[in-house]
Amino acid sequence: MTVKKRLIFSNLFVILLSITFILLVFFVTFLAFFSVVGVTVRDIEQRDGVANNIQTISVHRIGRYCRESDPAEKEEIAQSLKEQVAYFGFSSRLTCDGTTIYSDLTGEEEAFLLENFTLLSAGNAVAMENDDAALVHYDSVVQGVQIRFDAVRLGSAEGSTAGAWPDSSEVSRYVEIYTILILVCAVAAIFISIVFVSSRTAHAITRPLDLLRKGSQEIKNGNLDYKIVYHGKGDEFEHVCSDFDDMRLRLKRSVQIQMDAEKRRKQLYAGISHDLRTPLTAIKGYVEGLRDGVASTPEMRMKYLRTIYRKACDMDDLVDKLFLFTRLDSGQFPFNFETVSFRRYLANFLAQRREDYSARGLELQYEDQLSGTELVRMDVQEINRVLSNILDNSVKYKSGPRGISRITARSDAEHLILSLKDDGSGVADADLDNIFNDFFRTDEARMNPGSGSGLGLAIARHIIRAHGGRIYARGGTGLTIIIELPLTGEQDRSENHREKDSDH
């Protein structure tokens, strides 16, 4: 449930619970007031009737009298009843199980009761009055005690104090008491409901906030492995906590990428320093030799100059490769893609390069397993660079005076697969993934720093990835480099030709 709906339902619950509790209190009050006290709606409607007032007072006081066990208290209640009735100008008599508790009736008033015996016998509770007289009679069993109460007033009510309902009347007192009770209970019900509902709602809100606060503190302290686990049954905080944890994972990956980039940057600087220091040291040595007259003959001086020029060319080639690698790594290199038949492309490449590599001591052997219909969308010049870098490494690291590179081209349903396997010294299995990192060279290559810059395969990896393919190595006898490029359907040929000059 969402927080918005939860707040709405909690507020409605508070209101409904308060109304229900108030109605319950009213119902209990109604039962207590009208059943225990004995007041009827008719009594309240006719509360100006003095006889009815006396009847109400007597019923309540008699009930208290019968429930009381202390003799002193019983006597006090009886006296209070007598005084209250007298306040209205009545004389009264209270009898319990035939014993008179008190009586202040005169002979005339007792005669009046006898005259109305038939009327009094008609009901357990009688209250009547007119201009000349008033009579109250109550005869019932209360708490197992036979109670009889009679009150008489002879003569006119004028001049008496019975014309108004006294403030100390029992009905007023009960109305006041129960009104206050209802208000107190209503306030208590509302307060308890608000505290209960608010505490549950607050807990539902503060718990995920505490989790988020804890998570943010852990991230601030560098702990990116702290995972927020919150199950909120579909509320807003569940999505927030989930998004927060996704952000943590992305931040963790970003930090890891940054750390890897920093490590690569340091390796790059170390590699540049190493590969520039070697030719610079050689150049300085030969220049000092020329300056100090070590090369005393024209032939020696020419040899020194040729060496200096070759070392300078090596530095120039390294700078070019660094520039190319930087552009490829930043994604700012403009590729010139076109759709070509790979069988035709590879045949042209081998025809142009076979003699050159043969002169450098590397024999190229080609096994064609293509059907001839394979089309690849690629930058021809950059794929040439990739193949040249791989074959140049085969030349540099061949085991003897001459080496062999076996080239195999085949395809599956989706990819063009090109394999280049040489018979050189190979690479340890632990280094197969590392040889595509920038400035990485095997221990054997480190022993011969002039044999390579360590950027050739790193550049090849960037180029192949830009083509949507992948390049990887396998060990065994020699080293095998495998290139996979996505095939392009025949129906895409015309569209790719149109994109040839615009896709960078």
Side-chain angles (χ1 to χ4, degrees):
M1 183 183 296
T2 64
V3 175
K4 182 178 180 180
K5 290 182 178 179
R6 186 175 295 163
L7 291 174
I8 292 174
F9 282 120
S10 64
N11 291 330
L12 290 176
F13 177 76
V14 169
I15 295 172
L16 293 176
L17 184 60
S18 301
I19 293 175
T20 302
F21 199 86
I22 291 173
L23 292 177
L24 180 62
V25 172
F26 269 112
F27 179 71
V28 173
T29 302
F30 179 84
L31 292 179
F33 187 69
F34 291 106
S35 297
V36 177
V37 180
V39 181
T40 65
V41 176
R42 183 66 177 169
D43 292 332
I44 296 177
E45 291 177 350
Q46 299 177 350
R47 64 180 185 178
D48 290 336
V50 179
N52 286 321
N53 295 341
I54 297 300
Q55 186 185 55
T56 301
I57 293 170
S58 64
V59 169
H60 172 61
R61 293 294 174 86
I62 291 170
R64 287 180 56 197
Y65 180 87
C66 293
R67 289 192 295 269
E68 183 60 54
S69 59
D70 187 3
E73 289 292 333
K74 293 174 77 70
E75 182 178 354
E76 182 179 348
I77 294 172
Q79 184 64 27
S80 173
L81 173 59
K82 178 181 178 182
E83 293 174 356
Q84 190 70 54
V85 171
Y87 178 84
F88 286 90
F90 282 70
S91 299
S92 60
R93 178 178 58 200
L94 176 62
T95 302
C96 296
D97 287 335
T99 302
T100 300
I101 305 303
Y102 76 86
S103 176
D104 60 357
L105 295 176
T106 65
E108 186 180 2
E109 290 169 340
E110 290 185 358
F112 180 76
L113 288 175
L114 290 174
E115 291 176 2
N116 294 278
F117 177 78
T118 303
L119 177 63
L120 297 178
S121 301
N124 293 332
V126 177
M128 66 178 187
E129 61 181 313
N130 53 37
D131 294 338
D132 297 326
L135 174 63
V136 175
H137 172 73
Y138 178 67
D139 189 355
S140 182
V141 177
V142 179
Q143 299 288 322
V145 179
Q146 182 68 42
I147 298 295
R148 175 168 178 164
F149 174 77
D150 297 298
V152 179
R153 189 196 69 215
L154 300 177
S156 174
E158 293 181 2
S160 71
T161 59
W165 187 260
D167 293 338
S168 60
S169 69
E170 300 302 320
V171 175
S172 295
R173 290 172 59 189
Y174 264 81
V175 169
E176 292 172 0
I177 292 173
Y178 278 100
T179 300
I180 295 174
L181 178 62
I182 290 171
L183 292 177
V184 171
C185 292
V187 171
I190 294 174
F191 178 77
I192 294 173
S193 301
I194 291 175
V195 171
F196 174 75
V197 176
S198 299
S199 62
R200 289 185 60 85
T201 304
H203 176 73
I205 295 175
T206 56
R207 178 170 171 265
L209 289 179
D210 290 338
L211 290 175
L212 290 172
R213 179 180 58 83
K214 177 65 175 176
S216 62
Q217 288 179 345
E218 292 292 335
I219 291 176
K220 182 182 69 174
N221 295 331
N223 182 14
L224 297 178
D225 293 323
Y226 183 82
K227 183 178 180 180
I228 293 180
V229 179
Y230 173 72
H231 303 289
K233 298 180 180 180
D235 62 11
E236 294 92 340
F237 286 109
E238 183 175 17
H239 301 294
V240 172
C241 291
S242 177
D243 293 341
F244 187 90
D245 202 58
D246 290 342
M247 180 188 69
R248 174 189 66 82
L249 293 175
R250 291 191 178 189
L251 181 61
K252 181 180 179 180
R253 287 193 293 267
S254 177
V255 171
Q256 186 62 45
I257 291 173
Q258 186 177 3
M259 293 174 62
D260 293 342
E262 181 66 16
K263 182 179 179 181
R264 290 176 54 198
R265 182 179 65 83
K266 292 179 179 179
Q267 292 176 346
L268 180 64
Y269 291 161
I272 293 173
S273 300
H274 178 273
D275 288 335
L276 287 178
R277 185 181 294 112
T278 301
L280 280 175
T281 301
I283 290 174
K284 287 172 61 179
Y286 283 109
V287 170
E288 288 177 355
L290 290 174
R291 184 189 63 186
D292 297 338
V294 175
S296 56
T297 64
E299 292 79 6
M300 288 288 292
R301 287 194 293 271
M302 183 59 63
K303 179 180 178 181
Y304 275 33
L305 290 173
R306 283 196 298 267
T307 303
I308 292 172
Y309 177 76
R310 188 172 66 254
K311 296 297 182 182
C313 289
D314 291 342
M315 292 177 62
D316 185 62
D317 180 63
L318 176 61
V319 171
D320 288 342
K321 287 183 177 180
L322 282 172
F323 180 68
L324 174 62
F325 175 80
T326 302
R327 297 181 69 188
L328 289 170
D329 192 47
S330 63
Q332 298 178 354
F333 187 83
F335 287 94
N336 184 23
F337 290 101
E338 58 181 312
T339 301
V340 300
S341 168
F342 197 81
R343 168 184 274 180
R344 188 180 304 116
Y345 157 76
L346 191 57
N348 291 335
F349 175 84
L350 294 176
Q352 295 172 7
R353 304 296 179 91
R354 180 177 276 112
E355 184 176 347
D356 176 58
Y357 281 109
S358 178
R360 297 168 60 185
L362 183 67
E363 180 184 351
L364 303 183
Q365 297 179 356
Y366 176 47
E367 181 181 354
D368 185 3
Q369 299 180 8
L370 299 175
S371 64
T373 60
E374 293 85 359
L375 300 177
V376 178
R377 187 170 179 268
M378 66 184 193
D379 186 322
V380 174
Q381 182 177 352
E382 298 308 319
I383 295 298
N384 287 345
R385 189 192 305 273
V386 171
L387 298 181
S388 297
N389 287 345
I390 296 173
L391 294 175
D392 287 346
N393 283 341
S394 298
V395 172
K396 294 171 187 176
Y397 304 122
K398 60 183 185 293
S399 300
R402 298 196 62 81
I404 299 175
S405 177
R406 295 179 176 85
I407 302 172
T408 304
R410 60 186 180 86
S411 65
D412 58 18
E414 298 180 353
H415 298 91
L416 183 286
I417 303 171
L418 183 65
S419 172
L420 298 94
K421 176 178 175 60
D422 62 33
D423 59 351
S425 56
V427 175
D429 292 341
D431 293 331
L432 289 177
D433 293 333
N434 297 325
I435 61 175
F436 297 98
N437 295 336
D438 42 287
F439 284 104
F440 177 84
R441 288 179 296 188
T442 61
D443 292 337
E444 180 181 351
R446 291 293 182 190
M447 296 174 61
N448 184 16
S451 63
S453 64
L455 285 175
L457 291 181
I459 291 173
R461 182 185 63 177
H462 278 290
I463 293 174
I464 295 301
R465 284 183 176 178
H467 282 70
R470 70 185 186 119
I471 182 172
Y472 54 96
R474 288 178 180 171
T477 302
L479 178 66
T480 303
I481 304 295
I482 301 173
I483 300 172
E484 295 182 4
L485 295 172
L487 293 174
T488 300
E490 179 68 27
Q491 65 274 17
D492 297 329
R493 177 191 293 271
S494 59
E495 180 179 351
N496 288 323
H497 274 302
R498 287 195 299 270
E499 294 177 355
K500 175 179 178 180
D501 296 330
S502 60
D503 192 346
H504 298 293

